[in-house]
Amino acid sequence: MEINEIEIIKKIKNGETSEFEHIITKYSKLVYSLAFRLLRNAEEADDLTQDVFFRAYRFLDKYNPEFKMSTWLSKITYNLFKDRFKVKQLNIVSNSISSDEDDKRNFEEKYADTGAGPYEKIEQSVKSRDIIAIINKLPDNYRVVVTMYFWGDYSYEEISQILEVPLGTVKSRLKRAKIYLYEKYSRLLEKWK
Amino acid sequence: MINCKSIKNLIIECGGDLKKLTIAKSEVDALAAHINNCPECSKVMSRLSALEKLVAEDKIPAVPPAIASKIMARIAAEQNKCVQKKVLAVTNAEEMTLIEKIAALFLPKENRVWAYSIVIIIMAAALFLTLTHENNIPKENVIVKAGDKNPPETIDNKFKNNQPISNQNQNIAILENKAGTISNDDKKFKKCGFIVENGKLAAAGSDDEYLSNPAADLKVNYNGLATVIINRDSKFKFRDSGIDLAAGSLNIDIFVKNVIKFSVSTPESLVEVTGTKFSVSRKNNITEVSVQQGSVKVTNKITGTSEILKHGDKKIINKILKFQEKSNEAQTSEATIKNSIPLQTAGVELSTRKTDEATLKTDTKEIRNDTKVNNLIDKLKTNNMHEGN
């Protein structure tokens, strides 16, 4: 943990609430990304992100500086997601495939980012969407691990801490998920031909 | 030996980055050489690379710009709420009663309702016990007997006046009958549980009936559980768990509540102990029961009805009235009796409206005049016989 971050936390604990905005600014992308990947819904991801930081503020006394702030916030995100998932399981399944609006937004962003021609971009987008759909259809235990691994840039150890499962479990889940994805992708390649 | 299938799993495991594998560098080099030369493994490698690229293609919307301000607003609102709660708590503390303040010191808010309930229950119980205790305080009750011309004597004095057994040794156990003196060790007495403590008694005749001394009261003890003072000139009989009173009066003081089974029987009534101190007298076929302390159960032997008399209650049961009602039953309808005019004489009221039990409810003072009562009974007797004819 950075020294600057320790100082910020001290100030917050001493009543300087406004300092918490620094924490939000620094980690909002990480929390929002994970929330969005898990929920696949921008609005819900927004709500979840707010809840995560709000909870982090309330329980800042319980934060152990030995761990990374990013890991602690991700853990809160995952726990809140689990709580919501119990209630909104059906909703999440229905949202696991991106809505038209999401597709449009994703396409526009990809189009703006890459220098490829429109045809290649559409083709790439469709393929990407198919892969994401496969990931979202994975059993939840696997989906969370894959999400954190591919997009969260977390190490195995961090994933293990966030999910509160043994390191070996994380590795085995990830390996099985990757093999499954590869097989599915291979079949898709045949389909795309 | 490494085959292509296991290499494929290794490639997938490390995501195409062989350096991530936890194997020796020489093994990594050998693996890389194999992949380059093996079309199948090269295909896996390229597919995996493409797959990861596609996954990475999936971008997410940008973080909503207002998210930080929204969170900070929520935090500020939360802080305000906390401040308001604290202010409210302080205000409430000032408005709290003394009991609430004490409760607040020891109990969390959610448990206070229980605490209040318990306090209320305890207070109610204390009040109940206080009232009950007040009722149990012996009071100077007057024993009123029909025909008594002397000033009334309290029942407690009666018990006090009887000297203890140790001072009256010479008077103990003297039983006189026509056949001569009989010891207090008489088996009849022992069997019944009675011991004469003070006074004399004489056999009245057959059937184990006795008379108390016309000059002094007789004090007997029942199994160490009760003291019975049989007033002078009374005719009675000892039996198991009680006394049959033919004439006269007696006072009973029960030491052990709710344990002893004791009763006094007269031809008209059965008086059973449910409490402690009471007296029974019988004269001119009228049984009078008065309760000084506790309660007794009185059964009218003629009608079979029972009732509980409590502290201060008095009950008079008249055999003559019932007898006459019974004797005229065939001719006198219940309606006739109901319609008969209540007799009122010099403050004494006799009512025959209740046909099921011919009880006379009289005031304590009013019944002192024995002559008036007798006159009244004679009038009622005549009236009922006349109606019967």
Side-chain angles (χ1 to χ4, degrees):
Chain A
M1 191 175 173
E2 294 171 25
I3 296 169
N4 188 31
E5 215 165 67
I6 294 169
E7 287 300 314
I8 288 170
I9 290 169
K10 269 186 187 175
K11 283 180 182 177
I12 298 164
K13 284 181 180 176
N14 288 332
E16 291 182 49
T17 312
S18 58
E19 291 293 315
F20 193 69
E21 201 161 354
H22 295 296
I23 302 286
I24 300 169
T25 309
K26 188 173 180 182
Y27 295 104
S28 58
K29 193 179 176 185
L30 174 131
V31 172
Y32 181 79
S33 304
L34 182 59
F36 182 83
R37 299 283 183 203
L38 293 171
L39 291 163
R40 285 279 151 190
N41 181 298
E43 202 178 319
E44 287 191 3
D46 188 355
D47 286 346
L48 186 64
T49 305
Q50 287 184 45
D51 289 347
V52 169
F53 283 105
F54 187 66
R55 185 173 279 204
Y57 171 78
R58 287 181 67 185
F59 297 100
L60 201 61
D61 288 336
K62 292 184 179 177
Y63 170 63
N64 183 358
E66 287 177 15
F67 295 94
K68 281 170 148 184
M69 176 60 91
S70 59
T71 308
W72 186 59
L73 290 170
S74 300
K75 192 170 180 173
I76 296 172
T77 310
Y78 174 68
N79 287 335
L80 284 175
F81 159 74
K82 271 202 304 186
D83 292 345
R84 286 194 181 188
F85 190 75
K86 283 174 194 168
V87 182
K88 297 188 173 182
Q89 197 165 10
L90 291 171
N91 194 27
I92 286 167
V93 169
S94 67
N95 285 326
S96 62
I97 298 168
S98 303
S99 65
D100 289 343
E101 200 179 328
D102 289 336
D103 283 344
K104 191 183 168 189
R105 193 191 300 123
N106 288 343
F107 173 73
E108 283 169 356
E109 283 167 1
K110 282 164 199 166
Y111 185 78
D113 285 349
T114 60
Y119 177 76
E120 287 80 11
K121 281 171 187 169
I122 291 167
E123 191 183 50
Q124 195 82 344
S125 176
V126 170
K127 287 177 180 176
S128 176
R129 195 184 66 183
D130 287 348
I131 295 296
I132 302 305
I134 292 167
I135 292 173
N136 288 334
K137 282 176 186 172
L138 284 170
D140 203 47
N141 289 342
Y142 294 88
R143 187 171 74 88
V144 172
V145 175
V146 168
T147 299
M148 287 181 174
Y149 178 79
F150 280 122
W151 296 298
D153 203 22
Y154 299 96
S155 67
Y156 290 137
E157 286 78 11
E158 283 172 328
I159 296 171
S160 167
Q161 283 172 9
I162 293 165
L163 303 183
E164 292 179 335
V165 293
L167 188 64
T169 308
V170 174
K171 285 181 178 174
S172 62
R173 280 182 190 172
L174 197 58
K175 188 179 174 182
R176 274 189 224 120
K178 279 178 177 178
I179 292 169
Y180 176 81
L181 273 177
Y182 179 82
E183 298 300 335
K184 283 280 180 185
Y185 174 67
S186 299
R187 282 181 210 168
L188 278 176
L189 283 175
E190 296 299 319
K191 183 183 157 188
W192 290 333
K193 278 179 185 174
Chain B
M1 186 181 168
I2 299 173
N3 58 29
C4 286
K5 195 181 175 185
S6 54
I7 289 173
K8 179 185 164 188
N9 286 342
L10 282 172
I11 294 167
I12 292 169
E13 191 182 337
C14 69
D17 187 356
L18 298 178
K19 289 173 190 171
K20 284 184 182 175
L21 294 169
T22 51
I23 52 174
K25 194 178 174 296
S26 57
E27 287 178 326
V28 173
D29 292 339
L31 205 58
H34 172 83
I35 291 166
N36 285 333
N37 296 324
C38 174
E40 192 60 33
C41 290
S42 297
K43 195 173 133 189
V44 172
M45 196 72 168
S46 60
R47 275 188 183 182
L48 202 61
S49 175
L51 174 64
E52 291 210 347
K53 245 185 202 175
L54 283 172
V55 171
E57 284 287 322
D58 183 54
K59 293 191 176 174
I60 61 160
V63 180
I67 201 160
S69 56
K70 280 181 188 172
I71 295 163
M72 291 310 290
R74 274 181 70 175
I75 289 168
E78 174 75 5
Q79 279 182 324
N80 285 338
K81 209 189 274 178
C82 289
V83 171
Q84 280 174 358
K85 272 183 186 174
K86 280 179 185 172
V87 170
L88 200 64
V90 171
T91 314
N92 286 342
E94 284 168 359
E95 290 172 357
M96 276 194 289
T97 62
L98 182 64
I99 294 172
E100 286 170 333
K101 281 178 183 173
I102 292 166
L105 284 174
F106 298 104
L107 292 164
K109 198 174 180 180
E110 56 271 19
N111 289 342
R112 280 181 214 160
V113 176
W114 291 103
Y116 294 149
S117 307
I118 290 165
V119 168
I120 289 165
I121 290 165
I122 289 168
M123 286 171 76
L127 185 66
F128 174 76
L129 287 173
T130 308
L131 291 172
T132 312
H133 180 67
E134 278 176 5
N135 285 338
N136 285 334
I137 294 169
K139 291 178 182 173
E140 296 280 305
N141 290 292
V142 175
I143 309 300
V144 181
K145 294 189 290 180
D148 257 359
K149 289 177 183 176
N150 298 326
E153 193 176 4
T154 64
I155 188 168
D156 287 334
N157 284 338
K158 268 197 170 290
F159 283 105
K160 282 174 195 167
N161 288 342
N162 282 272
Q163 291 176 18
I165 192 166
S166 57
N167 298 333
Q168 295 290 321
N169 282 340
Q170 68 275 21
N171 290 329
I172 298 169
I174 297 171
L175 176 67
E176 291 172 350
N177 67 2
K178 288 169 188 172
T181 303
I182 299 170
S183 165
N184 189 32
D185 290 335
D186 191 325
K187 285 178 184 174
K188 292 171 193 170
F189 280 57
K190 275 196 166 180
K191 196 179 174 185
C192 297
F194 287 96
I195 296 172
V196 175
E197 284 190 357
N198 187 13
K200 290 180 181 179
L201 72 166
S206 58
D207 206 18
D208 302 327
E209 209 163 48
Y210 298 102
L211 276 169
S212 60
N213 194 325
D217 294 343
L218 176 72
K219 187 179 182 183
V220 295
N221 183 290
Y222 175 67
N223 282 334
L225 302 170
T227 297
V228 182
I229 293 172
I230 302 164
N231 294 316
R232 62 196 71 176
D233 229 2
S234 297
K235 196 176 180 183
F236 60 94
K237 199 196 302 184
F238 292 119
R239 59 170 166 76
D240 289 340
S241 307
I243 294 172
D244 292 340
L245 182 69
S249 62
L250 46 84
N251 308 309
I252 297 102
D253 186 4
I254 307 293
F255 310 143
V256 186
K257 294 179 186 176
N258 302 326
V259 176
I260 187 168
K261 189 181 177 185
F262 191 90
S263 66
V264 177
S265 175
T266 67
E268 298 84 19
S269 66
L270 176 66
V271 187
E272 292 171 280
V273 170
T274 57
T276 53
K277 206 175 275 187
F278 64 101
S279 62
V280 180
S281 68
R282 184 167 193 270
K283 194 173 183 180
N284 295 331
N285 292 325
I286 298 171
T287 297
E288 180 186 326
V289 184
S290 55
V291 181
Q292 287 77 47
Q293 189 178 315
S295 61
V296 294
K297 181 185 175 187
V298 180
T299 304
N300 188 321
K301 285 183 175 176
I302 299 160
T303 62
T305 55
S306 299
E307 67 179 290
I308 300 290
L309 295 189
K310 291 180 180 173
H311 160 77
D313 288 350
K314 183 174 279 189
K315 177 88 180 171
I316 294 172
I317 300 170
N318 192 323
K319 188 180 181 181
I320 297 169
L321 287 174
K322 286 313 295 183
F323 173 73
Q324 289 194 341
E325 277 173 22
K326 278 194 158 189
S327 64
N328 295 325
E329 205 169 38
Q331 296 148 339
T332 310
S333 66
E334 189 179 313
T336 312
I337 294 170
K338 278 182 179 175
N339 292 331
S340 64
I341 303 162
L343 299 171
Q344 292 187 344
T345 311
V348 179
E349 182 179 323
L350 292 180
S351 174
T352 53
R353 287 189 184 278
K354 289 184 180 179
T355 55
D356 60 337
E357 54 176 279
T359 55
L360 298 176
K361 291 186 177 177
T362 57
D363 187 79
T364 308
K365 291 174 186 172
E366 290 163 354
I367 201 161
R368 283 182 194 163
N369 193 330
D370 193 28
T371 315
K372 284 178 182 175
V373 172
N374 286 333
N375 289 341
L376 198 61
I377 292 161
D378 289 340
K379 277 184 182 178
L380 190 62
K381 190 177 173 182
T382 313
N383 183 41
N384 283 341
M385 286 180 79
H386 179 71
E387 281 182 9
N389 292 333

